[in-house]
């Protein structure tokens, strides 16, 4: 299954961010992609108010994404914000396309490195999978990548590919941690990992709010043995590569960590 990772830098304006979804989806579809994965916070970048733009998954911004996916006959995964409890929002991934319409609310909130996502975001609690062209896809968001149990849970629920959508916080060794964690989770789940991050604003020249986790780039497609098949650097770009689900079955026979697990 041809898979695309759209490494963009989103901003405050919803329509401008939607235009990026439209542009990158069209480019991915033209290259034969069946699944297009956008980063966390595609709807609006971190560092801006979120409560004023949060909408249900059947709201106008989400419906515009549905129209884009339908126009190009592809499945799109995109990061947005939906209403949560007590005046908070939920950090949500919408997956929509032919026969697909699901959403995932980020389970593990980024209360780390001096940032407190839980101050404004309401956590989810349910792992989510869906199917594209016979390939079962799981969903994870940014800080989730530090929690192996979610990835093994998704794998045990049938996921052959796990999309990790991120707006990774910059800082010393943070890019190295991202690369290591993405590859480790592929090994934990013996699954493909499609890790789509926001591009690095320092490279793209997009102004951002200081202290907000606004991306480092380095999106990558990693195979079930943790080898990066294709990867980007910090610039805004589109990565398109093929995912072979048969590699998952072969790897799980050779390295049956899911079957061998005792805890």
């Amino acid at each position: 299954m041809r898979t695309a990772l759209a490494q963009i830098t989103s901003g405050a304006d919803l329509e401008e961010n939607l235009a990026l979804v439209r542009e990158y989806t069209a480019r991915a579809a033209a290259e034969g992609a069946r699944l297009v994965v956008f980063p966390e916070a595609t709807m609006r970048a971190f560092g801006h108010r979120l409560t004023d733009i949060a909408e249900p998954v059947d709201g106008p911004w989400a419906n515009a994404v549905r129209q884009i996916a339908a126009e190009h006959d592809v499945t799109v995964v995109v990061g947005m914000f939906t209403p949560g409890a007590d005046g908070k929002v939920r950090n949500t991934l919408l997956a929509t396309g032919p026969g697909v319409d699901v959403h995932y609310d980020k389970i593990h909130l980024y209360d780390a490195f001096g940032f407190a996502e839980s101050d404004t975001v309401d956590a989810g609690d349910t792992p989510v999978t869906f199917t594209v062209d016979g390939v079962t896809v799981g969903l994870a968001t940014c800080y989730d990548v530090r929690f192996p149990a979610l990835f093994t849970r998704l794998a045990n629920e049938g996921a052959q590919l796990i999309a990790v959508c991120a707006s990774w916080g910059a800082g010393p060794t943070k890019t190295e941690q991202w690369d290591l964690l993405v590859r480790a989770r592929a090994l934990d789940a013996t699954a493909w990992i499609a890790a789509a991050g926001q591009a690095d604003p320092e490279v793209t020249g997009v102004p951002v709010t200081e202290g907000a986790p606004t991306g480092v780039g380095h999106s990558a497609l990693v195979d079930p043995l943790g080898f990066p098949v294709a990867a980007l650097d910090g610039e805004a770009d589109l990565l398109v590569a093929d995912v072979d689900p048969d590699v998952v079955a072969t790897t799980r026979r050779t390295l049956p960590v899911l079957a061998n697990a005792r805890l």
Side-chain angles (χ1 to χ4, degrees):
M1 179 180 69
R2 184 151 289 188
T3 300
L5 307 182
Q7 184 167 285
I8 63 168
T9 299
S10 62
D13 189 279
L14 274 61
E15 289 302 317
E16 291 179 3
N17 297 333
L18 192 61
L20 288 173
V21 176
R22 187 174 293 109
E23 173 193 346
Y24 277 76
T25 300
R27 288 172 55 188
E31 295 192 39
R34 301 295 300 142
L35 175 68
V36 188
V37 183
F38 285 85
E40 174 189 27
T42 293
M43 185 185 195
R44 172 172 279 180
F46 287 116
H48 303 280
R49 189 177 174 189
L50 302 177
T51 53
D52 63 328
I53 57 92
E55 65 175 47
V57 289
D58 59 355
W61 197 88
N63 283 338
V65 175
R66 288 186 177 90
Q67 292 171 2
I68 293 168
E71 177 184 350
H72 295 286
D73 192 35
V74 298
T75 297
V76 172
V77 178
V78 63
M80 61 177 294
F81 298 99
T82 57
D86 301 322
K88 296 183 179 182
V89 302
R90 288 188 176 236
N91 188 342
T92 299
L93 297 179
L94 172 68
T96 183
V100 175
D101 201 297
V102 300
H103 67 278
Y104 164 71
D105 295 326
K106 185 180 183 183
I107 292 174
H108 302 98
L109 300 184
Y110 182 55
D111 289 358
F113 293 99
F115 190 85
E117 187 176 17
S118 63
D119 285 350
T120 57
V121 177
D122 191 20
D125 58 12
T126 306
V128 172
T129 64
F130 59 94
T131 301
V132 178
D133 291 355
V135 177
T136 301
V137 182
L139 293 174
T141 305
C142 203
Y143 193 51
D144 280 336
V145 79
R146 293 186 181 273
F147 299 88
L150 174 60
F151 289 75
T152 55
R153 167 81 174 267
L154 289 167
N156 283 321
E157 292 183 1
Q160 299 154 292
L161 168 68
I162 300 173
V164 181
C165 305
S167 186
W168 198 253
T173 77
K174 289 296 296 299
T175 298
E176 291 79 5
Q177 291 177 44
W178 165 254
D179 292 337
L180 174 63
L181 288 161
V182 166
R183 296 178 68 180
R185 296 299 81 83
L187 282 162
D188 291 334
T190 47
W192 291 89
I193 301 292
Q198 292 263 353
D200 186 344
E202 289 194 8
V203 176
T204 60
V206 176
V208 297
T209 302
E210 185 176 353
T214 48
V216 297
H218 291 263
S219 300
L221 182 67
V222 180
D223 75 12
L225 285 174
F227 182 80
V229 172
L232 299 176
D233 54 20
E235 296 181 355
D237 204 351
L238 181 72
L239 182 158
V240 181
D242 291 322
V243 167
D244 183 354
D246 291 341
V247 172
V248 177
T250 300
T251 302
R252 289 177 180 175
R253 285 194 299 269
T254 306
L255 182 64
V257 292
L258 297 172
N260 290 344
R262 299 183 63 187
L263 295 176

